[in-house]
Amino acid sequence: MSPVADHDPRGAGAGFAAALRTRRLARGLTQEELAGRAGLGVRTLRELERGRVARPQRGTLTLLADALDLVGMDREEFLAGTVTPAPTTLPLPTAPALIGRDADVAELLDLLERTDLVVLVGLAGVGKTGLAHAVAHAVTGTAVSVTITDVSQPNDVFAAVAAVFGVARAEELPDRPSLLVLDGIDRSHRSAVKAIAWLRARVPAVKILATSRRPLAGVVPGAVDWRVEPLELPSALSSPDVVRHVPAVALFLDRLRQVRREPVPDAEVPAVAELVRRLDGLPLAIELAAARGRVLELPELLSRYGNRVLDLAATDPDGQRLRDAVAASYHLLDEPEQAALRCLAMFRGRWSLDLAEALLGFNAEAVLDRLVGLGLVSVRGPGDLRFRLLDVVRDFATERCVERGELRAVRLRHADVITRLAVRLAADLTGPASAAAVSRLDYLNSDIRAALRYASVREPATALRLAGAIPRWCRLRGRDVEAHKLLRRLLDDARTGDCDPVIRANAQVAAGMLAMAHGRGVAELWPTEAALEVLVAHGDTFGELAARAVLSGVWQAVGGVDESRRHSEAMLGLAIRTGRVREIAVSQNNLAWHDIRAGDLATAARRLVAAGRRAAEAGDARIQALAQANLAEVARLDGRFDEAVDLARRAAAASAEVGDPTHRVRALGTLGQALAESGRLPEAADVLVELAELPGSAGMSAMIGGYLALARDDRPAAATAFEAAANLLAGRDDIRDVLEALTGLAASAEPADRKRALGELDGIRARGRLTLLPRERALLSGA
């Protein structure tokens, strides 16, 4: 038998019970934990804490005193069995200084002025307990705290509350303004709910601030759920001094100082910023990582735990692990909800309710509400793409996916969902909706990359469809080389050979478009011609128009005059017949090149003005900017430098606004050359600085450098620059750029090199049937 004294039916042991509970709770022990330490039965301890034993035996008192680590006078009084009056309030737990929560504390204090029950809800480890105690320390008047355990019964909660308020029974609680913190009510949810309802009815002056991993609003009338979010993260471009004061970083540095004396130098602050971003600002994860700083340098921390944050654990072998904290919230879900979370873990960025439902295959509103309520899904920012998983939650759910053998199926489902969305958005990448479509694809960038990586290995047909849908977006984002390589690999993959021929043909057109953007269009010339035949045969009007636009540009770049004109005229005719206003503008813009080639600048200008009007009518700001850039080039070629500068500045700004780096390079090239040719050398040098930040600008920069050297009468430097420009521009957008570079080289080179340059110039003129303009003839004659 357990050593228990006589039963105490009159409740004479209530004082000792309160003292025992107070001491146990102050040490953060459950009844099971204290019973285990003392070597007593759990039932015995419950009897003692319920006040049903008047005189505990001496042996029982000794075991309990040892288990509670009591010393000095406190131990002597406890062993004597005397009842020391409980303190008026139990001192609130002390904890390290709370960082980054000042605004949260202020908001909660204000909220508690207006309501009597607030529940801090969030993922395990997000800092609910620390925030609750910070609020309790900040209130005016009495504030006490009780920790709920997983075996707590309503009577246990009442007894613990009575103990911390310094009374023998809950019925004796004083109804005076005070704050009661109930920490961890989800551990014994039903008991806590019953206790809260009883307390609100009996002592309405007591405000309750509870912490929970699950919401209480809707379960208890009048309860207000207040979601605790992770700490604010640093932006990628902030200075080290700014980064140090961002809450997530400040918490890490504060906890790191507890295990390391050396301050973190500025050079290592970016590693800290990257680490806390990977930890998603989760306080528990940050504190666990900082504790590892005793033996690991910051770069080691990042490399060791940056991609496996769930492995973080307390340095104490019995301490908390991050994986256990996430598991605690995960296990609050039923099986269908867990399955939904495992599927949603495939998303890499932010996603919408519609995307979630497409992935899950059912109405996900209720499930998503549950996941948000538990803090497993966070909601950030406006708009529909506002949901995301913390990395630790995603990693945990992915592990569960692997364990259950679901990973391949859900990743392929994710790739299919992203592909279908990208195909829909691709139709809006031209015209008035293009900015919104580009922005949406930007938000989905990480999911598109993940889908392409996985599908290109496991389901290349899906990857081909996805990659073939987004070439315009890839080009606008400077990813033409990367995207072209992937498309070429997919098109050459034998597993895509039996794909829908229209899908393959459109993917080939996309490959040609991307290759042309970085001067490799000739490599895709004949495959794109073959793709055009497929598209014409299948009546794919949109695909045919895109193919002819690409082929017109590629033939133009290599000097195929007749082929380029044929495709531009066919495109114009088809666009007119089908009422495609934007494509009319594109074809008119392309045909203007043939007017320039023939030296008819006036006709080219009129055609470009018409193209600009058509683009405006179609609502396509990108084509408008391109037409304006080409008008600026016509003005420059005609020697109207001031007009060229004005038009080119506006075209460069418009291209930047719509996010078109390729045509921004073209506009800035015209601007820099016009400034250099008109003697505005410092302004031309400024353009070179701007161009240096853009990919694919080396050829245009060399052209500007050549004109700057000519203006300084530095002919050797001019010759070097023009020769470099000729080599860099060969095979790119316009063979006429190469002609102009060779003209500059012939005008500035030494006799031997001049002769070679003139020979190459004659060859290009013959191949492209290009006419030298008066300005070029004057340059050559003045050499």
Side-chain angles (χ1 to χ4, degrees):
M1 289 180 61
S2 299
V4 181
D6 299 334
H7 269 290
D8 180 27
R10 297 182 183 178
F16 174 77
L20 177 59
R21 278 193 298 274
T22 298
R23 288 173 170 83
R24 176 175 64 80
L25 292 170
R27 283 158 180 76
L29 298 174
T30 65
Q31 288 180 329
E32 284 79 3
E33 289 169 340
L34 179 56
R37 282 188 175 197
L40 300 173
V42 175
R43 182 178 176 183
T44 299
L45 190 62
R46 287 178 180 167
E47 293 288 300
L48 290 169
E49 289 201 357
R50 288 173 181 170
R52 296 178 180 174
V53 179
R55 294 178 299 279
Q57 294 181 357
R58 176 76 179 185
T60 302
L61 292 172
T62 301
L63 291 172
L64 288 169
D66 291 341
L68 291 167
D69 299 321
L70 298 181
V71 295
M73 185 63 70
D74 195 21
R75 180 182 178 89
E76 291 178 12
E77 290 183 353
F78 189 85
L79 290 176
T82 58
V83 178
T84 302
T88 304
T89 60
L90 179 70
L92 289 168
T94 58
L98 199 65
I99 292 174
R101 298 291 194 188
D102 291 349
D104 293 343
V105 170
E107 184 177 338
L108 286 166
L109 289 171
D110 180 65
L111 183 58
L112 285 166
E113 290 289 327
R114 295 178 277 113
T115 188
D116 68 329
L117 175 57
V118 177
V119 185
L120 303 185
V121 183
L123 183 69
V126 79
K128 301 183 294 294
T129 299
L131 179 57
H133 288 148
V135 172
H137 279 290
V139 298
T140 56
T142 302
V144 296
S145 176
V146 168
T147 300
I148 306 298
T149 69
D150 54 3
V151 294
S152 294
Q153 298 298 316
N155 286 341
D156 297 326
V157 179
F158 296 143
V161 172
V164 296
F165 273 106
V167 296
R169 297 180 304 165
E171 288 80 358
E172 300 172 5
L173 287 172
D175 190 16
R176 61 174 182 265
S178 51
L179 176 66
L180 169 63
V181 174
L182 293 179
D183 187 27
I185 63 173
D186 55 282
R187 298 190 190 106
S188 191
H189 190 256
R190 290 183 180 178
S191 298
V193 168
K194 289 180 180 179
I196 288 171
W198 188 91
L199 289 166
R200 294 175 80 196
R202 296 298 181 90
V203 282
V206 175
K207 306 267 188 175
I208 299 175
L209 178 61
T211 72
S212 176
R213 287 169 296 185
R214 65 172 73 180
L216 204 59
V219 178
V220 175
V224 176
D225 289 333
W226 198 92
R227 193 166 61 246
V228 181
E229 300 287 358
L231 293 173
E232 180 187 345
L233 295 169
S235 67
L237 302 177
S238 299
S239 67
D241 186 57
V242 171
V243 169
R244 288 178 187 274
H245 292 89
V246 174
V249 175
L251 176 64
F252 180 88
L253 296 177
D254 179 80
R255 301 304 188 256
L256 187 65
R257 279 194 293 271
Q258 297 174 8
V259 298
R260 284 178 55 175
R261 293 175 56 187
E262 302 83 5
V264 174
D266 284 352
E268 293 187 354
V269 169
V272 176
E274 179 58 30
L275 180 62
V276 299
R277 277 194 290 268
R278 185 67 180 92
L279 300 174
D280 264 320
L282 197 64
L284 173 62
I286 291 171
E287 293 185 348
L288 292 174
R292 296 288 168 178
R294 179 179 282 112
V295 294
L296 297 177
E297 296 296 329
L298 290 175
E300 292 176 319
L301 261 174
L302 184 59
S303 64
R304 185 175 289 255
Y305 291 108
N307 292 315
R308 52 188 188 93
V309 294
L310 285 172
D311 291 340
L312 282 167
T315 52
D316 178 358
D318 297 324
Q320 190 172 17
R321 298 188 306 164
L322 187 57
R323 182 177 279 102
D324 295 335
V326 180
S329 293
Y330 177 78
H331 290 308
L332 294 173
L333 303 171
D334 60 27
E335 172 50 34
E337 292 166 341
Q338 290 178 354
L341 183 66
R342 294 194 297 271
C343 277
L344 294 173
M346 298 305 104
F347 286 124
R348 289 295 178 267
R350 290 191 283 171
W351 35 274
S352 64
L353 176 60
D354 288 344
L355 272 174
E357 291 177 338
L359 183 63
L360 297 174
F362 58 80
N363 186 315
E365 203 171 315
V367 168
L368 196 54
D369 179 72
R370 171 82 166 145
L371 296 175
V372 170
L374 291 175
L376 291 163
V377 169
S378 65
V379 183
R380 293 185 180 177
D384 62 334
L385 293 172
R386 62 186 180 276
F387 302 102
R388 70 179 293 270
L389 296 182
L390 299 183
D391 284 353
V392 292
V393 176
R394 182 186 303 110
D395 291 351
F396 181 88
T398 301
E399 287 182 353
R400 305 289 81 73
C401 247
V402 173
E403 287 177 0
R404 300 174 70 95
E406 301 169 339
L407 187 61
R408 177 171 182 171
V410 294
R411 289 198 70 172
L412 288 178
R413 196 183 317 160
H414 167 264
D416 182 63
V417 167
I418 295 300
T419 297
R420 284 187 275 122
L421 177 60
V423 169
R424 290 199 303 272
L425 290 172
D428 292 331
L429 286 173
T430 58
S434 61
V438 168
S439 176
R440 199 163 186 81
L441 288 169
D442 287 344
Y443 277 123
L444 296 168
N445 176 45
S446 55
D447 281 290
I448 291 171
R449 285 183 174 275
L452 283 172
R453 273 196 306 272
Y454 194 77
S456 62
V457 175
R458 297 291 188 179
E459 195 69 37
T462 298
L464 182 69
R465 189 165 173 238
L466 174 53
I470 55 174
R472 286 184 174 87
W473 176 65
C474 293
R475 191 181 63 193
L476 292 174
R477 290 297 170 258
R479 289 167 50 188
D480 48 281
V481 175
E482 169 194 352
H484 174 240
K485 287 180 179 178
L486 175 61
L487 262 175
R488 188 69 267 152
R489 188 165 69 248
L490 290 169
L491 286 164
D492 293 339
D493 191 323
R495 292 174 295 173
T496 66
D498 58 353
C499 283
D500 184 325
V502 173
I503 290 177
R504 276 189 61 86
N506 276 304
Q508 175 56 56
V509 173
M513 182 186 300
L514 292 165
M516 186 172 65
H518 59 275
R520 299 276 298 168
V522 65
E524 301 292 348
L525 181 57
W526 296 113
T528 306
E529 286 280 11
L532 172 62
E533 294 179 8
V534 173
L535 294 168
V536 171
H538 284 80
D540 187 337
T541 300
F542 185 82
E544 180 184 347
L545 288 167
R548 291 196 183 279
V550 169
L551 288 167
S552 175
V554 175
W555 281 116
Q556 175 183 318
V558 299
V561 177
D562 294 336
E563 294 86 351
S564 175
R565 187 171 198 112
R566 174 172 61 82
H567 283 301
S568 292
E569 289 176 343
M571 181 183 180
L572 178 60
L574 180 59
I576 291 173
R577 289 195 303 276
T578 57
R580 307 276 183 142
V581 177
R582 177 190 177 274
E583 280 65 33
I584 293 174
V586 172
S587 55
Q588 289 280 37
N589 180 80
N590 292 345
L591 284 168
W593 178 83
H594 295 278
D595 300 323
I596 298 171
R597 174 186 57 80
D600 190 353
L601 299 182
T603 300
R606 286 195 296 273
R607 197 186 292 273
L608 289 168
V609 169
R613 284 200 300 266
R614 289 288 193 174
E617 183 182 342
D620 196 311
R622 192 179 70 83
I623 300 302
Q624 274 187 278
L626 174 59
Q628 192 170 54
N630 286 336
L631 268 175
E633 180 69 358
V634 168
R636 183 185 72 85
L637 293 174
D638 202 26
R640 294 176 280 118
F641 296 126
D642 288 344
E643 182 181 347
V645 166
D646 180 57
L647 287 170
R649 283 195 196 280
R650 283 188 278 155
S655 296
E657 187 174 342
V658 297
D660 188 343
T662 302
H663 293 134
R664 186 179 169 206
V665 168
R666 162 61 64 183
L668 289 173
T670 295
L671 174 61
Q673 290 175 81
L675 289 168
E677 288 181 83
S678 60
R680 297 160 67 174
L681 307 191
E683 293 176 77
D686 290 341
V687 174
L688 282 177
V689 173
E690 192 171 353
L691 273 172
E693 300 175 357
L694 299 175
S697 62
M700 281 298 167
S701 294
M703 284 285 283
I704 296 170
Y707 280 116
L708 281 171
L710 275 183
R712 294 192 299 264
D713 201 27
D714 186 350
R715 292 187 173 273
T720 300
F722 281 126
E723 185 166 22
N727 291 328
L728 290 165
L729 293 168
R732 293 191 72 88
D733 296 341
D734 191 346
I735 193 176
R736 211 183 184 292
D737 292 334
V738 183
L739 178 142
E740 185 170 355
L742 289 173
T743 300
L745 174 60
S748 54
E750 295 296 327
D753 290 332
R754 172 184 169 84
K755 182 176 180 181
R756 174 175 57 82
L758 286 172
E760 293 180 18
L761 182 60
D762 288 341
I764 280 190
R765 287 180 60 198
R767 186 167 70 252
R769 300 207 293 277
L770 300 169
T771 300
L772 284 178
L773 297 172
R775 62 191 295 279
E776 293 156 345
R777 290 196 294 270
L779 189 61
L780 288 173
S781 64

